[in-house]
Amino acid sequence: MDSPPPPPRRTLRDKLRQATFIQPRTGERIRRNFTLQNPRRALDGAGDSLSDNRTPLLGQESARRGGLQTHIDHITARSRGLAVAASSRTGQAIFKCSLSYLMGSMAVFVPAIAATLGRQGGKHLVAIFTVYFHPGRSQGSMIEAMFWAAVAFLYSVIISFASMEVSVLSRQWDLIVLGRIIVLLVFCGGGLGFIAFVKQSLQRPLVNVACSLASLAIITVLTKENSVHTATFSYEKVVQVMKMVVMGTLISTVVCFTVKPVSARRDLRDVMSQTTDAIGQVLATITRCFLNGSETEMKESAYTEASKQYKAGLLALAQHLQESKLEHFALGTEKEYWIEKRLVGCLQRLAQNIGGLRSAAATQFSLLAQVEHGTPQSTSTFTQTNHHSPTHQPLALYSSDDTFSAMASIDEWPEVALAADMGFSGNSEDSGAHIIRTPTDIFEKFITHLGPSMKSLAYTLKEILGELPFTFSPHFDINVDEHFKTSVTNAIELYGDARAQALGLLYKSKELSRMNTTEAEADFEEVAASCGHFSFSLLDFAEQMSQFIDILEELKFASDRHRHRRSWNWLLFWRERKGSREGSGMIDPSHKANNHMAFSQLTTEVSSFFALDGASDTRRPPGRSPEVASPEKPLPKETLSHRLWKISRIFRRDDVKFATKVGIGAAIYALPSFLPSTRPLYLHWRGNWGLISYMVVCSMTIGASNTTSNDRFLGTCLGTACAVLSWLASQGNCYALAFFGWVMALYCFYIIIGQRNGAYGRFILLTYNLTALYAYSLSIGDGKGDKDEGGTHPAIGEIAIHRVVSVASGGFWALVITRIIWPISARKKLKNGLSLLWLRMSLIWKRDPLATLLEGDSPNVYMNLREEFELQQYLSYLDSLRTAAAGEFELRGPFQAETFERILRGTGKMLANFHAMNIVLRKELRASDGEASILHYTTKERAQLCARIGHLFHVLASCMKLECPLNDTLPSTENARDRLLAKIFSYRKSMRHVGNIADEDFAILYAYALVTRQLSAEIAAMKVEIELLYGVLDEDALKLE
């Protein structure tokens, strides 16, 4: 007997009613049609069509005007574009910086100002300091710049005075040679080496320029001036440098605070508003795609731009928050800063929940794609228990042409008739016609039941995100409605009730199906994991949204209070402040300063597995076991040699070795200035600027030094050429030189700010200063002792040649030192770093991350998933190494930057999955009774799956370290995952009558299942990339030598 045809889809839709959602502004429940789709998308298409229809007509009209009118229109359009660019934030910053530079150059051109700086030369340094600490920044950043400038100057004063005192004492004791040796090694080499250590350790832009300022002052006093060499104590040059530093930073500060001032507090609120809008758009798109079962819309430009916007916003929030901190502290609104810090942390957690939603949706798309392509296990592993049931087609909601129109206003089932209409009356005999047979059926049932309430909650959250947290520019007042909190709470309750009922019916229908294979049970449980994890992640997002509103209301109260009452309690630094103790949970991705230092403990503990950075750094003393210490197994008694080896660990750190070799190189380069026979040659060729160039070019890795040296040399040549042309064109006229200098500042600050290439732009402008402004100083008789370059009739050619040769020699010496003394290859560190990172990930999965819920944190830090943020920091450090490695040249071939970029991107996706797992672990430090029961029930299967994943990570790390291809027969995680999912299915089936087992207890295993699936996929992708890198074995590597 033929089975009856399937009922029309629209007959089921006719039974539905309008969706119920919470109106954010009023908090009331409303039933009507609504859509998550941005209404502007449809208008955009119409606008494009209209533009296309008009374009030919405009083109014909323009052609009829003639060539002259066309050129006029072109010039007018370019002028308008230039005006728009000049009035933009970047254009205003460039103008402010050029104005500051022009004012700084007045220390050379205006005699009255020059007289306040003494009779010594070098007054062009005022303009240099306005370039170092330019005003094209926020007020908070300018406060920080002033702080670091003061620190740099104080450090240079200490080194200068101490070196003078040593010289004076050595003369008094008739030990001049010994005194010069001490000054050369301790104050010149050691002092500059310490600057290199601080620069490498902190790695912040303002610290870098402060280090350049300190280097300039120290090198000038120790090698150029005669105080140290004549063993006399002189305050004159130090006082002059102090005046120039104060004048330069004061000029930049005044311009920053008076000319189009930029507030970091307003920038923070502006970025937060843009980020919440983007998160709301991404949330709506992901939810809509999940309901539609198609990721097409997630591939469109609108979603891509919104995703990029909120990710970029999250990165900018940390910087703006740090700068706004100084502004709040200065204004006496410290309390607002601590609240804003919590607000930023809450916003970052909202973005993390977006990642969980995206992961669940990606799993859904993958499973549906398998069904569409006819994956055998998704269609043939289910028992046919009812031959009269309609033949199932791929999910009708997904395959119809009017997908968006059908899902644009999802309707809810009536509460009373919900179970009866869908055949879930609780009677197993009556529900045979509705047995689920494929994973697509589960998705359809899930969306049918939970889709309306899911869409309603997403709509409410999207609308609130569109309103929060601040009003528009320029005031950015706190915009939180009194009904927002109630609306979110009611929406959570409405969604929670619908979710509990829908999932209960979903699992009930699944339990009625008869499975006959492990693969079938795994398929069903994987679908349940995807659906369940998405619903839990959406609920977590809503709960986090409620906390966001609470913090925003607290900020509004504090802001209103501080308008009338301010405090500067941060000055009482000896008191412990409550705000600083409150954990914000904020992630700060902007601090990449100590990325390699963050892994120092990790490197030490795990180095017994791999020799990571050479034998000198990780060699293990004889007799030490390579096994990781276990808390149950006592360690053998340490020998004296091993204790000494551990104590000397600090000297094996890369940053210490870098500082040491920089100090050694600086002492060798400065040696001619301390020898009477070579000092005239050093001064003639301006060796002090070569030493400054050496300090600037020296970087941790060979590749970074190569890149900086190239920028330094090209910038020096370009700046010198421009200076020569300006001098020849102006004939030494101060007004013309000031104008040319202002034009040069506009161009260079466009490079610094507009193109974000600070080093290159600074090199050009600083070299211009050293040539043009210095030549003018000589022409007015302000260059005492510089007769070798023309005196009052400057030989501009000689000046230019001296600058180029000096800078080139310093850059070349930096490259020599970087390659000869403890060379650090970015390529090698990148490979070793990747192997270390994958090894860390292997150790995490070796223990099983979920074990922390039952056993607590691991005693070994490298096996604690709660420290996963260190992995994210280290990945950023590896990405900087990838950039530096591109500048290294080796005979065996160019660096495969694109392949390593894909590897790092894939590793980042793995860490995102680690982070998703960590979110679940952070929510509950200990497992509930139901969770503990499930975890104990699946212990064996999880152990097998963790062993597979950990083994694969270990293999990846080994292959990257040894530069060898992977084995063709690597173990797969699919069978282990299927056994785990089948075990979860079995537990649910056997424990369905137990009262203390709630659906929330499965949430952690849902996340676990999705993470392991995506990790397996990314590991497979890493296999392909490693095959591209090391697909062929090198015969030399196999020689037994």
Side-chain angles (χ1 to χ4, degrees):
M1 181 179 178
D2 296 336
S3 59
R9 188 76 186 171
R10 186 58 57 185
T11 59
L12 295 178
R13 302 287 297 179
D14 292 340
K15 297 181 181 181
L16 304 179
R17 63 179 175 83
Q18 291 179 323
T20 300
F21 66 95
I22 304 297
Q23 181 64 37
R25 279 290 182 183
T26 61
E28 57 183 343
R29 299 190 179 190
I30 300 177
R31 299 180 182 180
R32 65 174 175 82
N33 292 336
F34 63 95
T35 177
L36 292 174
Q37 192 171 351
N38 189 349
R40 285 178 294 182
R41 292 181 64 216
L43 297 177
D44 292 342
D48 295 340
S49 177
L50 184 61
S51 177
D52 292 340
N53 292 333
R54 292 181 178 179
T55 299
L57 296 178
L58 293 176
Q60 294 176 4
E61 181 180 355
S62 178
R64 288 194 297 265
R65 291 181 180 179
L68 178 60
Q69 186 64 36
T70 302
H71 289 301
I72 294 177
D73 292 343
H74 178 71
I75 294 174
T76 303
R78 293 294 298 269
S79 301
R80 291 176 180 174
L82 183 61
V84 171
S87 60
S88 65
R89 171 71 69 86
T90 301
Q92 293 174 1
I94 294 174
F95 173 75
K96 290 166 60 176
C97 293
S98 64
L99 178 63
S100 175
Y101 174 82
L102 180 62
M103 295 172 64
S105 64
M106 294 299 105
V108 176
F109 296 128
V110 179
I113 299 177
T116 62
L117 299 177
R119 301 184 61 182
Q120 291 184 328
K123 298 180 179 63
H124 57 277
L125 292 180
V126 177
I128 289 180
F129 294 149
T130 63
V131 177
Y132 279 158
F133 305 100
H134 63 77
R137 60 182 82 244
S138 67
Q139 296 172 346
S141 179
M142 198 67 230
I143 296 174
E144 184 183 3
M146 294 171 62
F147 169 77
W148 286 115
V151 171
F153 174 73
L154 290 177
Y155 177 76
S156 62
V157 167
I158 293 174
I159 296 296
S160 300
F161 284 167
S163 62
M164 292 179 190
E165 185 65 27
V166 169
S167 298
V168 171
L169 290 177
S170 65
R171 183 180 182 182
Q172 292 176 355
W173 296 341
D174 198 18
L175 298 173
I176 297 179
V177 175
L178 178 60
R180 290 184 177 181
I181 292 176
I182 294 175
V183 171
L184 177 64
L185 297 180
V186 177
F187 298 105
C188 185
L192 296 179
F194 180 76
I195 290 177
F197 175 81
V198 173
K199 180 179 178 181
Q200 181 61 35
S201 299
L202 298 181
Q203 287 188 357
R204 300 175 63 174
L206 284 176
V207 174
N208 293 343
V209 296
C211 289
S212 299
L213 167 61
S215 301
L216 188 153
I218 291 174
I219 293 171
T220 300
V221 173
L222 266 60
T223 67
K224 182 182 178 182
E225 299 300 320
N226 293 321
S227 299
V228 174
H229 302 280
T230 58
T232 57
F233 202 97
S234 174
Y235 294 92
E236 186 176 0
K237 189 62 180 180
V238 176
V239 172
Q240 186 197 32
V241 172
M242 180 191 69
K243 291 180 179 179
M244 290 188 292
V245 170
V246 171
M247 185 178 295
T249 55
L250 185 62
I251 290 173
S252 294
T253 303
V254 171
V255 172
C256 178
F257 279 79
T258 58
V259 180
K260 294 291 183 179
V262 176
S263 171
R265 294 168 293 128
R266 291 186 178 181
D267 285 347
L268 177 66
R269 296 191 173 192
D270 186 18
V271 173
M272 288 180 67
S273 298
Q274 297 177 17
T275 304
T276 53
D277 291 342
I279 289 178
Q281 184 176 350
V282 171
L283 170 67
T285 303
I286 293 176
T287 304
R288 189 164 57 248
C289 289
F290 185 84
L291 297 176
N292 294 338
S294 172
E295 59 179 335
T296 302
E297 193 173 346
M298 293 178 63
K299 297 180 179 179
E300 295 180 357
S301 59
Y303 173 82
T304 303
E305 291 300 323
S307 181
K308 289 181 179 179
Q309 181 179 357
Y310 93 78
K311 290 178 181 178
L314 292 176
L315 293 175
L317 281 177
Q319 176 184 352
H320 292 316
L321 183 65
Q322 177 63 27
E323 296 174 1
S324 67
K325 175 182 178 178
L326 301 176
E327 293 183 11
H328 280 301
F329 281 22
L331 295 174
T333 56
E334 176 186 2
K335 180 64 176 178
E336 291 186 31
Y337 163 73
W338 297 116
I339 300 176
E340 286 180 350
K341 185 177 182 180
R342 291 165 49 207
L343 195 66
V344 171
C346 189
L347 187 60
Q348 290 176 334
R349 290 191 292 274
L350 285 174
Q352 294 166 3
N353 289 327
I354 288 289
L357 293 171
R358 189 187 299 110
S359 298
T363 302
Q364 179 209 37
F365 302 146
S366 176
L367 294 174
L368 290 178
Q370 292 179 4
V371 175
E372 290 180 3
H373 291 86
T375 303
Q377 75 175 43
S378 64
T379 57
S380 62
T381 58
F382 301 93
T383 306
Q384 299 292 333
T385 59
N386 188 352
H387 300 286
H388 299 285
S389 61
T391 302
H392 181 80
Q393 302 294 331
L395 193 55
L397 292 175
Y398 309 151
S399 57
S400 61
D401 294 334
D402 57 341
T403 298
F404 288 103
S405 61
M407 297 305 297
S409 57
I410 299 178
D411 302 318
E412 296 178 357
W413 288 92
E415 289 84 347
V416 178
L418 178 61
D421 287 346
M422 294 305 297
F424 298 129
S425 61
N427 188 351
S428 59
E429 289 84 9
D430 297 336
S431 57
H434 302 276
I435 294 176
I436 298 175
R437 305 185 187 283
T438 66
T440 310
D441 293 328
I442 290 191
F443 280 123
E444 185 172 2
K445 296 294 184 184
F446 179 86
I447 292 176
T448 301
H449 289 82
L450 193 56
S453 58
M454 184 180 295
K455 180 192 171 188
S456 299
L457 178 60
Y459 177 81
T460 301
L461 296 175
K462 175 179 175 291
E463 292 297 310
I464 293 179
L465 285 170
E467 297 285 342
L468 295 178
F470 306 104
T471 58
F472 297 104
S473 176
H475 301 291
F476 295 108
D477 297 325
I478 299 175
N479 183 29
V480 53
D481 191 88
E482 59 181 0
H483 295 100
F484 282 171
K485 175 67 175 179
T486 306
S487 299
V488 173
T489 303
N490 293 338
I492 292 175
E493 293 177 355
L494 180 65
Y495 177 74
D497 295 339
R499 183 180 61 84
Q501 184 180 16
L503 293 179
L505 293 172
L506 179 65
Y507 296 140
K508 181 178 179 181
S509 66
K510 185 176 64 172
E511 290 163 5
L512 294 176
S513 302
R514 300 177 181 177
M515 307 298 175
N516 61 355
T517 63
T518 302
E519 290 79 3
E521 296 175 352
D523 277 349
F524 275 123
E525 202 59 47
E526 188 160 32
V527 173
S530 173
C531 298
H533 185 64
F534 191 93
S535 65
F536 285 124
S537 297
L538 187 60
L539 184 60
D540 289 340
F541 188 96
E543 293 173 349
Q544 196 65 46
M545 192 69 207
S546 178
Q547 297 181 19
F548 186 82
I549 296 175
D550 289 338
I551 299 175
L552 197 60
E553 291 177 344
E554 184 180 354
L555 178 61
K556 183 177 182 180
F557 174 78
S559 179
D560 294 339
R561 179 186 179 188
H562 288 154
R563 290 177 182 176
H564 309 285
R565 180 182 177 185
R566 299 177 184 270
S567 62
W568 288 266
N569 294 327
W570 60 273
L571 293 173
L572 307 177
F573 57 87
W574 58 88
R575 293 185 181 180
E576 186 179 8
R577 294 181 294 276
K578 179 180 178 181
S580 60
R581 295 197 309 265
E582 295 177 356
S584 65
M586 185 191 131
I587 297 174
D588 188 356
S590 68
H591 286 288
K592 301 178 181 178
N594 231 9
N595 286 332
H596 65 287
M597 295 294 295
F599 253 41
S600 59
Q601 182 178 4
L602 165 68
T603 307
T604 302
E605 298 292 343
V606 186
S607 60
S608 55
F609 287 84
F610 289 102
L612 291 174
D613 288 319
S616 62
D617 186 43
T618 59
R619 182 170 60 246
R620 189 172 55 253
R624 301 301 300 174
S625 172
E627 298 178 358
V628 180
S630 174
E632 294 82 7
K633 182 170 60 177
L635 289 173
K637 185 177 180 179
E638 289 185 341
T639 62
L640 178 61
S641 62
H642 183 250
R643 291 180 180 178
L644 293 176
W645 180 80
K646 290 177 62 178
I647 293 174
S648 62
R649 180 183 303 164
I650 186 175
F651 299 105
R652 298 191 299 273
R653 283 171 34 178
D654 284 339
D655 53 351
V656 175
K657 292 192 293 184
F658 171 70
T660 303
K661 71 179 183 181
V662 169
I664 293 174
I668 295 175
Y669 193 94
L671 178 61
S673 69
F674 288 84
L675 299 177
S677 60
T678 56
R679 180 170 174 78
L681 181 66
Y682 178 90
L683 295 177
H684 175 74
W685 289 100
R686 302 312 185 261
N688 56 312
W689 286 108
L691 188 53
I692 294 172
S693 177
Y694 162 82
M695 290 296 299
V696 172
V697 171
C698 271
S699 300
M700 173 72 80
T701 62
I702 298 174
S705 296
N706 290 341
T707 302
T708 308
S709 177
N710 183 59
D711 289 343
R712 179 70 171 176
F713 181 75
L714 294 179
T716 298
C717 293
L718 181 58
T720 303
C722 292
V724 172
L725 292 176
S726 299
W727 181 262
L728 295 177
S730 65
Q731 293 297 312
N733 182 272
C734 62
Y735 297 102
L737 282 176
F739 175 75
F740 290 148
W742 178 69
V743 174
M744 279 294 299
L746 285 175
Y747 171 69
C748 293
F749 279 112
Y750 170 74
I751 298 176
I752 296 172
I753 299 176
Q755 298 182 350
R756 298 184 180 277
N757 192 352
Y760 184 57
R762 283 197 300 270
F763 295 155
I764 298 174
L765 194 53
L766 296 184
T767 307
Y768 179 87
N769 279 341
L770 294 178
T771 307
L773 298 187
Y774 172 78
Y776 181 79
S777 297
L778 290 180
S779 66
I780 61 176
D782 202 23
K784 182 176 62 177
D786 293 327
K787 304 299 181 180
D788 58 334
E789 291 181 333
T792 56
H793 300 281
I796 191 67
E798 290 289 331
I799 296 175
I801 292 175
H802 290 170
R803 297 302 179 268
V804 172
V805 171
S806 178
V807 169
S809 64
F812 176 76
W813 182 244
L815 296 180
V816 171
I817 293 297
T818 303
R819 285 185 174 271
I820 292 180
I821 303 179
W822 291 314
I824 301 175
S825 172
R827 293 191 184 191
K828 184 177 180 181
K829 285 189 68 68
L830 176 58
K831 295 174 183 177
N832 291 338
L834 273 173
S835 65
L836 173 61
L837 187 60
W838 288 338
L839 175 62
R840 170 76 178 261
M841 298 162 76
S842 170
L843 295 175
I844 291 175
W845 284 94
K846 180 180 178 181
R847 182 177 182 260
D848 181 8
L850 297 186
T852 57
L853 296 177
L854 300 176
E855 306 170 13
D857 291 345
S858 169
N860 299 317
V861 67
Y862 53 83
M863 296 181 69
N864 184 352
L865 191 59
R866 302 182 195 280
E867 302 296 327
E868 53 87 26
F869 182 53
E870 286 187 3
L871 306 178
Q872 296 281 2
Q873 283 187 309
Y874 197 64
L875 182 64
S876 300
Y877 171 61
L878 293 180
D879 190 58
S880 66
L881 288 178
R882 178 189 62 82
T883 304
E888 294 182 358
F889 307 98
E890 295 183 1
L891 294 178
R892 62 176 177 175
F895 177 71
Q896 301 185 33
E898 295 182 357
T899 302
F900 275 100
E901 182 179 6
R902 291 193 298 267
I903 290 176
L904 291 176
R905 190 185 306 121
T907 305
K909 293 180 181 179
M910 295 180 188
L911 292 181
N913 291 312
F914 275 52
H915 191 74
M917 197 75 245
N918 197 23
I919 292 175
V920 179
L921 295 179
R922 280 206 312 260
K923 289 165 58 178
E924 295 186 50
L925 298 179
R926 303 292 296 182
S928 63
D929 293 339
E931 290 174 338
S933 176
I934 300 173
L935 293 177
H936 284 302
Y937 190 79
T938 58
T939 299
K940 180 180 178 181
E941 288 72 21
R942 286 187 292 108
Q944 294 175 353
L945 180 57
C946 288
R948 292 286 181 90
I949 295 178
H951 174 68
L952 290 175
F953 273 123
H954 204 286
V955 171
L956 290 178
S958 301
C959 292
M960 180 60 68
K961 176 65 183 180
L962 300 176
E963 300 185 3
C964 65
L966 291 165
N967 196 324
D968 293 336
T969 57
L970 288 178
S972 174
T973 61
E974 292 302 319
N975 293 333
R977 287 189 70 254
D978 287 346
R979 287 192 295 269
L980 173 62
L981 294 172
K983 191 75 171 182
I984 299 174
F985 180 86
S986 174
Y987 179 86
R988 188 193 302 279
K989 190 173 183 179
S990 60
M991 302 295 289
R992 62 179 181 269
H993 300 299
V994 179
N996 63 340
I997 303 299
D999 183 68
E1000 288 76 6
D1001 297 329
F1002 290 88
I1004 189 169
L1005 282 175
Y1006 289 161
Y1008 188 82
L1010 294 182
V1011 166
T1012 53
R1013 175 187 176 90
Q1014 294 172 7
L1015 281 178
S1016 301
E1018 293 300 330
I1019 289 175
M1022 290 299 102
K1023 295 178 185 178
V1024 177
E1025 299 299 339
I1026 291 181
E1027 195 69 25
L1028 291 176
L1029 286 175
Y1030 314 119
V1032 179
L1033 278 174
D1034 186 1
E1035 295 182 0
D1036 293 335
L1038 298 177
K1039 290 182 179 180
L1040 301 176
E1041 296 179 345

